[in-house]
């Protein structure tokens, strides 16, 4: 029995399947289109879906809610996840491109999480950073349609970069599920 009074009640916006985030007809990740042809299109589709899932988990929240940390001593928050994924997109690009790596966006180590504060400008900046970094990494990877090609100084296989990106977003969308539930009680995949 939980006696903490500030724990939100669990709820879902969905009415068809109560364990869903939204009803299937309202979920922008659902489509009636055929599944994509080819490995690259499949990878791109999964990445796009996880990116959208992260945005959906953050929708409708104010800066204080986005910056709210999970449980001590963790520094994790939804806003921190957005900043972290912007930083990670930049890191992946650094693996591919030659020359000096682009500098960290938010500072050393865990500054992407630790530097989170409940300010609208910081929220807007984080989402702008994420969109910009995603687009830049997508553009670099578009130059390598052969998933077996080796890129960067370490000769990383392009397929590995795509799969690793999907894995990173999938893992953090799981974190976002729990963080969102802690913020306002909303549940769903």
């Amino acid at each position: 029995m939980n006696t903490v009074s500030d724990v939100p009640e669990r709820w879902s916006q969905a009415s068809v399947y109560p364990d869903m985030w939204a009803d299937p007809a309202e979920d922008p990740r659902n489509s009636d289109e055929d599944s994509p042809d080819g490995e690259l299109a499949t990878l791109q589709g999964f990445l796009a879906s996880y990116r959208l899932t992260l945005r959906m988990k953050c929708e409708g929240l104010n800066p204080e809610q986005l910056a709210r940390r999970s449980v001590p001593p963790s520094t994790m928050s939804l806003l921190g996840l957005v900043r972290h994924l912007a930083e990670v997109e930049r890191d992946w690009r650094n693996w591919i491109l030659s020359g000096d790596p682009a500098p960290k966006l938010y500072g050393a180590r865990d500054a992407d999480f630790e530097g989170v504060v409940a300010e609208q400008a910081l929220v807007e900046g984080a989402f702008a950073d994420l969109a910009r970094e995603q687009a830049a990494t997508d553009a670099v990877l578009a130059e390598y349609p052969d998933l077996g090609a080796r890129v960067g100084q370490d000769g990383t296989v392009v397929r590995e970069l795509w799969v690793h990106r999907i894995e990173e977003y999938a893992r953090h969308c799981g974190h976002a599920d729990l963080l969102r539930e802690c913020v306002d009680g909303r549940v769903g995949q």
Side-chain angles (χ1 to χ4, degrees), residues 54 57-58 61-70 75-87 106 111-130 175-176 179-180 183:
L54 179 69
K57 295 293 178 172
C58 295
L61 299 177
N62 63 40
E64 186 280 323
Q65 292 170 312
L66 288 167
R68 189 175 303 161
R69 295 187 173 171
S70 58
T75 59
M76 192 175 291
S77 66
L78 287 165
L79 184 54
L81 286 177
V82 170
R83 289 166 46 107
H84 172 71
L85 287 165
E87 196 76 78
Y106 307 110
D112 39 358
F113 288 105
E114 292 172 1
V116 167
V117 292
E119 296 175 0
Q120 187 62 37
L122 191 117
V123 170
E124 291 169 6
F127 279 97
D129 290 344
L130 180 59
H175 294 135
L179 287 163
R180 179 63 188 250
V183 169

Side-chain angles (χ1 to χ4, degrees), residues 78-181:
L78 287 165
L79 184 54
L81 286 177
V82 170
R83 289 166 46 107
H84 172 71
L85 287 165
E87 196 76 78
V88 168
E89 288 281 357
R90 180 172 278 209
D91 286 344
W92 286 319
R93 217 167 45 258
N94 284 336
W95 293 351
I96 300 168
L97 299 174
S98 59
D100 291 335
K104 295 283 189 185
L105 289 169
Y106 307 110
R109 264 193 72 68
D110 290 333
D112 39 358
F113 288 105
E114 292 172 1
V116 167
V117 292
E119 296 175 0
Q120 187 62 37
L122 191 117
V123 170
E124 291 169 6
F127 279 97
D129 290 344
L130 180 59
R132 181 190 66 246
E133 296 301 320
Q134 288 171 337
T137 303
D138 289 348
V140 169
L141 279 173
E143 297 175 21
Y144 302 97
D146 176 2
L147 294 175
R150 294 193 174 272
V151 296
Q153 294 176 352
D154 296 335
T156 304
V157 175
V158 172
R159 178 182 293 101
E160 181 181 344
L161 291 170
W162 277 101
V163 171
H164 186 64
R165 290 169 84 199
I166 293 166
E167 178 272 334
E168 184 91 18
Y169 278 89
R171 182 165 37 96
H172 290 314
C173 282
H175 294 135
D177 285 339
L178 297 172
L179 287 163
R180 179 63 188 250
E181 188 173 350

